[in-house]
Amino acid sequence: MIDALIDGAIRRRKVILAVTLVLTVFGFFAYLTVPREADPDITIPFIVVQVPFPGVSPEDSERLLVRPMERELQSLAGVKEMNARAMEGLAVVTLEFDPNFDKDKALEDVRAKVDLARARFPPDALPPQIDEENVSSDPVVGVVLSGAAPERTLFKTASALQQRLEALPTVLSVDMAGARQEMLEVSVDPLRMEAYDVTAQDLASVIARNNQLIPAGDLVTRQGQFAIKIPGVIQGPADILSLPVKTNGDRVVTVGDLGTVRRTFKDPTSISRYNGAPSMALYVAKRPGTNLLDTIAAVHRAVAQDQKSWPPTIRADYSFDQSEFITHTLTMLESGLITATLLVMLIIIASLGVRQGLMVGMAIPICFMIAFLALEALGVTLNQMVMFGMVLAVGILVDGGIVVVEYADRKMAEGADKAQAFAAAGKRMFWPVVNGTLTTLCAFVPFLFWDSIPGKYMSFLPLTLFFVLGASIFVALIFTPALGSLMGRAQGADPAMLAEIEKSEHGAPAQMRGFMGWYARTLAGAARRPGLVTLGALVVIGAIVGGFIARPHATEFFLKQDPDQATVWVMARGNLSIQAMNGEVAKVEAKLQGIRGVAALDTRVGPQNGAGRDQPPNDNIGRIQLRFVDYAGEKALRLTGADIVGVIRSRLTETPGLQTELRLPESGPPEGKDVQVELRSNDPAALDRAADLVRAHLAADPQIIELEDTRTSPGIQWDFAVDREAAGRYGVDVLSVGQAIEFVTDGLLAGKIRPDDSRDELDIRLRFPPQDRNIAAFQHLKITTPKGPVPASYFVTMKPAQQVTTITRRGGQRLVIVQANVRGVPANQKIAQLKSWLAGVSLDPAVHWKFIGADEEGQNAGLFFLTAMIVTLFLMSVILLWQFNSFYGVFVTLSAVVLSTE
């Protein structure tokens, strides 16, 4: 069968060459059109459930929302880990599934379990939101609009650009950050409310009842049919000002008599600046399967065109642009690929000759193009893992071709013609080439079954190798014999070559010259003393392994890369207003101005939220993101990212009342800091004591830096206790008290409107003027009752209390993670020391601890690699046993693999 295959390929060589040409051309077009991405598009096995409950405290959120969901969700099949966060006004449960989970079924099961838990939710809880984590929905470019322009002008400009970008066919979504939501504010004078005897419920009811869409229907008569329209929706401030609230004798009291109405923005919860100027940002996500480079290019064109109509004070910048990284990375990999290809070609030409070298070298582009064709058929994008696989395959894929061509040359030197020589080479070398390629692929087979997120990420490398090396079998055994039967140069028997062949077969090392002669003599000498050579090899291997084990060494899962940006987190304690936070963050921002190599400072003031590697430190009041100059700029400035980071660290001197933390981008898992100790317990007091003990030990270690834990610092909150009996004497209930208090805080929601010039609904909120919204206002607050205005202090007591902002849970237990970075020693060595200390220290038995992050991921990866090595050796032994039909041959070959690994 093999003989017939090779002979058929040579007889139909034109068909083989034509098919190969077509595959190569189509593969080249596939390479040009395949979508480019930085990282592989993998499915993240996370599902997030969020339950909003405005005004709920973290303690009540844990008790009323989180625990009912945990009770139902913990029985789900395939759940690897369940994390929960109870916050003010929100409960979040994050489910991590096995990486091979069925996403659609998991979403369906989660929805069913959450529906069961909703039966135990309070009635005021809003409907749960269930979302899946998706890498493809992450933004690929950030457009920042900044400048000395009024906030409304900047907002309108950003909104118009947002609509333009969302209209692009390759754009999935555009999210705006840094903009405040608009609202219709009804500012009511409390003295006028008291004078006219108007309650909060009166105002809210009047606005709600006069802001209705009334379907009046059609009027049908014998003569015709007419639609009846009753304009009942509020369109703007004028409609609210004229609404009658109550009558006072012959006079009608309107909303305009009680205060003013204006369209404004909600109170700021964050402040954004870009290079010191007020800013708003648009984060653009591309549609799955589209080319990232084309999408970002379209965004650049749209921004440049839209910018022509902007005020001159507004400019556009890009806070991040994945196309720069992808272009740079792919250019480097493509350059490395071309360089490696040329070096391989030169080596082959130098050893085999020009004609033979060209025949072997043609396998490189052909195999790559066939692989690109197969990858596109499977929907795989061109990312850095695919390119790494290509670079790794360059030197491997030509092995089969070299063997076939060299054997054919030998046959032609013996007198065979071209067709006979290449036919003999293809037949004789068929199984050695196939088995040699298969044994190479055996080393990468386990990576396809690595059941983890890093495994899914790295699976694209062996997949690429399978296609490239699979194509190399076709090229070496089918294409090369067909091409060689045309291009090979048969000169008849060569006496000199025959003499060399005879010497090589019967051995005459002394007559050979140069490096090959030295190698032949050394090999012959080693063969005469096999015991001594084996003993020497074992001694050397033992010394290497012993030295490696005895000497402490650093281990890393993903290599650290030269950073292209850095993030400085600013932390402070206390109930700071957004204006106070802005002043504190500005102090740190001023220190970071003017650093050589920093292209832009993107500042966000206000507490930031996030998850995973984006999880911000607790008590943060803002972050400053420093974007470095591009690769060409660093080269021109003769700087590296590490140089710039060193300057940033030197600028971050101590500031009274503030803490700062510098974070660099992570190139891959594990996430978070170097040392992460997880503590879990159902006893909050015992958990706090254990966390304090671990933190104190780490704080005393000079090699530990940037220490923190996931507990939030206690703040201050005001508790209002309503004496229901006393309030009842005045005809007041808790709802009336709450509505009156809302006039001093964010405002009482009275309805919503949708103006023609707005994409979103605007809240209509009732509240007091700014001068009447403070702590002192609560002392003088009066509530309108059936018996007239009564001071709230008659039945409301206000007292300060400790505030808890977030409660974190994992696996149904309270969770605290104590984490830090390490300086001056490898992280794995420091973790080993801490494990010994924790094993000997007396912790409460109710507290369970373990190391997570780098240590956990490293252990899992180490176990996988050990298993993968055993599986690889087994698969290779099966193939070699098929090839040699000898256990001794298998042992000798695999011993070379083991010894070379050592």
Side-chain angles (χ1 to χ4, degrees):
M1 179 179 173
I2 295 175
D3 293 352
L5 178 64
I6 303 300
D7 291 337
I10 293 178
R11 286 196 304 269
R12 301 288 187 271
R13 50 179 170 260
K14 293 182 180 179
V15 176
I16 298 298
L17 298 179
V19 170
T20 305
L21 178 62
V22 170
L23 292 176
T24 304
V25 171
F26 277 93
F28 179 71
F29 283 112
Y31 167 74
L32 296 178
T33 58
V34 67
R36 267 73 168 167
E37 289 183 331
D39 297 315
D41 184 8
I42 61 175
T43 300
I44 303 297
F46 289 93
I47 294 179
V48 181
V49 183
Q50 300 186 59
V51 183
F53 191 168
V56 70
S57 66
E59 295 90 347
D60 289 338
S61 176
E62 179 190 32
R63 179 172 54 88
L64 301 174
L65 302 176
V66 170
R67 287 182 177 174
M69 286 194 290
E70 287 180 339
R71 191 176 300 116
E72 298 294 341
L73 293 172
Q74 66 184 359
S75 62
L76 277 176
V79 174
K80 185 177 179 182
E81 189 172 78
M82 178 170 57
N83 296 294
R85 299 181 71 194
M87 298 170 283
E88 184 174 357
L90 182 67
V92 180
V93 176
T94 303
L95 300 169
E96 180 182 357
F97 289 82
D98 294 327
N100 292 320
F101 80 128
D102 186 338
K103 180 179 64 176
D104 296 331
K105 186 178 185 304
L107 283 170
E108 181 181 348
D109 293 342
V110 170
R111 290 191 181 99
K113 293 294 184 180
V114 172
D115 287 340
L116 293 176
R118 285 187 67 183
R120 293 190 291 272
F121 288 175
D124 293 335
L126 299 180
Q129 303 171 7
I130 302 175
D131 301 301
E132 59 172 310
E133 293 286 336
N134 195 345
V135 174
S136 61
S137 62
D138 292 343
V140 296
V141 62
V143 185
V144 179
L145 278 64
S146 61
E151 183 179 10
R152 185 166 295 279
T153 302
L154 195 60
F155 176 73
K156 287 185 176 180
T157 304
S159 297
L161 180 61
Q162 182 183 24
Q163 295 184 48
R164 182 183 182 90
L165 295 179
E166 286 177 340
L168 296 176
T170 58
V171 169
L172 176 66
S173 63
V174 181
D175 295 328
M176 186 185 300
R180 291 192 286 166
Q181 291 183 343
E182 287 190 293
M183 73 174 183
L184 207 61
E185 181 187 64
V186 182
S187 183
V188 183
D189 188 337
L191 296 179
R192 294 186 185 182
M193 285 184 64
E194 181 180 343
Y196 287 114
D197 194 21
V198 176
T199 66
Q201 287 181 332
D202 294 336
L203 280 172
S205 176
V206 165
I207 295 176
R209 292 180 63 83
N210 287 275
N211 187 29
Q212 300 288 334
L213 181 62
I214 302 175
D218 296 335
L219 176 63
V220 181
T221 67
R222 292 183 178 181
Q223 288 77 22
Q225 179 175 333
F226 306 92
I228 304 301
K229 181 179 180 181
I230 304 177
V233 178
I234 293 175
Q235 297 292 334
D239 296 335
I240 297 179
L241 287 171
S242 61
L243 293 177
V245 180
K246 66 184 303 183
T247 57
N248 186 3
D250 295 334
R251 186 164 185 264
V252 177
V253 180
T254 64
V255 175
D257 295 326
L258 303 174
T260 60
V261 182
R262 63 171 184 153
R263 183 170 170 179
T264 183
F265 292 99
K266 293 183 177 181
D267 293 339
T269 57
S270 66
I271 297 173
S272 299
R273 287 190 297 272
Y274 192 80
N275 287 334
S279 67
M280 294 182 185
L282 300 176
Y283 298 114
V284 183
K286 72 177 187 68
R287 293 187 181 277
T290 58
N291 194 311
L292 184 145
L293 299 180
D294 294 341
T295 300
I296 295 181
V299 170
H300 279 266
R301 289 192 298 269
V303 171
Q305 187 173 0
D306 201 64
Q307 195 171 5
K308 297 175 182 178
S309 60
W310 294 354
T313 55
I314 298 178
R315 59 171 293 173
D317 295 280
Y318 296 91
S319 58
F320 67 92
D321 187 340
Q322 284 195 11
S323 65
E324 297 177 357
F325 170 77
I326 293 174
T327 302
H328 175 73
T329 303
L330 292 182
T331 300
M332 290 183 59
L333 290 174
E334 289 171 350
S335 301
L337 194 59
I338 294 173
T339 302
T341 302
L342 292 177
L343 291 175
V344 170
M345 289 280 291
L346 289 175
I347 294 173
I348 296 172
I349 290 174
S351 59
L352 298 181
V354 176
R355 186 185 296 266
Q356 294 88 340
L358 289 177
M359 280 193 294
V360 174
M362 289 178 66
I364 299 176
I366 293 173
C367 292
F368 285 162
M369 294 306 108
I370 294 176
F372 280 125
L373 189 62
L375 291 172
E376 186 191 40
L378 291 180
V380 178
T381 60
L382 181 60
N383 52 70
Q384 56 180 333
M385 295 307 298
V386 171
M387 294 303 296
F388 285 147
M390 295 286 181
V391 174
L392 186 62
V394 171
I396 304 175
L397 64 88
V398 295
D399 292 348
I402 292 175
V403 171
V404 171
V405 171
E406 195 277 336
Y407 190 86
D409 273 0
R410 185 169 184 170
K411 287 299 180 183
M412 286 187 288
E414 294 175 353
D417 60 27
K418 298 182 293 184
Q420 293 175 343
F422 277 95
K427 297 172 185 177
R428 178 65 181 84
M429 296 299 171
F430 185 90
W431 285 116
V433 169
V434 170
N435 291 333
T437 304
L438 292 179
T439 52
T440 302
L441 292 176
C442 285
F444 300 95
V445 168
F447 286 94
L448 294 176
F449 303 94
W450 191 359
D451 194 16
S452 66
I453 295 178
K456 297 296 181 184
Y457 182 87
M458 296 183 64
S459 64
F460 290 85
L461 188 148
L463 185 65
T464 303
L465 285 173
F466 287 163
F467 287 130
V468 174
L469 297 185
S472 72
I473 295 177
F474 164 78
V475 172
L477 299 176
I478 304 299
F479 172 77
T480 300
L483 182 66
S485 64
L486 291 175
M487 288 185 58
R489 181 174 57 184
Q491 299 178 346
D494 185 348
M497 179 64 70
L498 290 175
E500 288 294 329
I501 294 174
E502 183 69 20
K503 287 189 295 183
S504 66
E505 289 180 348
H506 296 87
Q511 299 178 10
M512 301 178 68
R513 299 178 180 179
F515 172 78
M516 290 301 297
W518 172 85
Y519 172 72
R521 289 188 293 273
T522 302
L523 192 62
R528 289 192 294 269
R529 302 175 182 85
L532 182 62
V533 172
T534 302
L535 179 62
L538 292 176
V539 170
V540 172
I541 293 299
I544 294 174
V545 174
F548 180 79
I549 295 175
R551 182 179 180 182
H553 54 276
T555 58
E556 287 183 345
F557 193 17
F558 271 69
L559 295 178
K560 298 186 182 300
Q561 299 180 355
D562 195 49
D564 59 355
Q565 64 178 8
T567 301
V568 175
W569 289 98
V570 184
M571 289 84 73
R573 295 184 176 184
N575 294 70
L576 301 178
S577 66
I578 188 64
Q579 291 77 16
M581 294 180 187
N582 187 34
E584 298 298 324
V585 173
K587 296 178 183 177
V588 180
E589 188 179 12
K591 295 180 179 181
L592 301 176
Q593 296 285 351
I595 295 179
R596 186 167 173 259
V598 174
L601 269 68
D602 188 1
T603 304
R604 184 71 58 83
V605 180
Q608 308 294 308
N609 296 316
R613 71 183 62 188
D614 298 322
Q615 179 72 41
N618 290 322
D619 303 320
N620 77 85
I621 62 171
R623 65 111 178 101
I624 305 170
Q625 195 169 56
L626 298 94
R627 183 168 59 86
F628 302 166
V629 295
D630 57 15
Y631 307 98
E634 287 183 3
K635 187 176 181 181
L637 294 173
R638 297 182 179 179
L639 290 173
T640 64
D643 297 331
I644 303 173
V645 169
V647 177
I648 294 173
R649 289 190 186 277
S650 66
R651 296 279 188 96
L652 294 176
T653 55
E654 291 188 5
T655 304
L658 293 180
Q659 289 183 335
T660 57
E661 180 181 326
L662 177 64
R663 288 189 183 181
L664 303 178
E666 299 180 23
S667 57
E671 302 172 347
K673 294 187 175 181
D674 298 335
V675 178
Q676 300 180 50
V677 185
E678 177 193 282
L679 303 169
R680 285 197 283 178
S681 177
N682 285 320
D683 186 346
L687 185 64
D688 284 338
R689 289 193 299 269
D692 291 337
L693 179 63
V694 174
R695 178 163 184 148
H697 179 78
L698 293 178
D701 192 332
Q703 295 175 326
I704 293 294
I705 60 173
E706 298 172 350
L707 173 64
E708 64 169 332
D709 61 65
T710 55
R711 296 174 295 178
T712 55
S713 299
I716 297 175
Q717 67 183 19
W718 291 97
D719 289 346
F720 287 80
V722 180
D723 187 338
R724 291 176 171 83
E725 182 180 352
R729 297 193 190 104
Y730 296 95
V732 177
D733 54 21
V734 176
L735 177 62
S736 301
V737 174
Q739 289 179 336
I741 292 175
E742 284 187 281
F743 272 75
V744 186
T745 56
D746 295 332
L748 176 64
L749 180 63
K752 294 180 179 290
I753 66 170
R754 185 183 289 273
D756 295 335
D757 60 344
S758 176
R759 304 178 64 192
D760 303 314
E761 286 186 329
L762 308 185
D763 291 347
I764 304 174
R765 290 195 172 270
L766 308 172
R767 60 179 181 171
F768 293 154
Q771 64 272 15
D772 294 309
R773 299 198 304 267
N774 49 53
I775 295 293
F778 289 119
Q779 305 293 336
H780 307 290
L781 180 65
K782 291 185 178 181
I783 298 177
T784 304
T785 71
K787 298 181 180 181
V790 176
S793 58
Y794 283 8
F795 41 81
V796 177
T797 303
M798 182 178 70
K799 62 178 180 180
Q802 179 174 305
Q803 180 190 33
V804 177
T805 57
T806 304
I807 297 174
T808 308
R809 297 171 62 85
R810 176 170 294 171
Q813 294 179 310
R814 288 281 187 96
L815 169 72
V816 174
I817 298 176
V818 182
Q819 53 189 354
N821 285 321
V822 176
R823 177 178 56 191
V825 63
N828 61 299
Q829 297 179 19
K830 179 57 64 178
I831 290 174
Q833 298 174 9
L834 293 174
K835 282 183 177 179
S836 300
W837 174 79
L838 272 172
V841 74
S842 177
L843 287 182
D844 193 303
V847 179
H848 304 279
W849 64 269
K850 73 172 183 176
F851 282 83
I852 59 175
D855 182 68
E856 186 177 38
E857 293 284 355
Q859 288 185 359
N860 294 336
L863 179 62
F864 167 78
F865 285 127
L866 178 61
T867 305
M869 181 178 296
I870 296 173
V871 172
T872 298
L873 292 176
F874 172 75
L875 294 176
M876 293 175 68
S877 64
V878 171
I879 295 173
L880 293 173
L881 189 60
W882 172 269
Q883 173 73 26
F884 300 131
N885 196 24
S886 168
F887 288 107
Y888 177 76
V890 173
F891 172 77
V892 172
T893 306
L894 291 184
S895 64
V897 175
V898 175
L899 293 176
S900 61
T901 303
E902 300 297 334

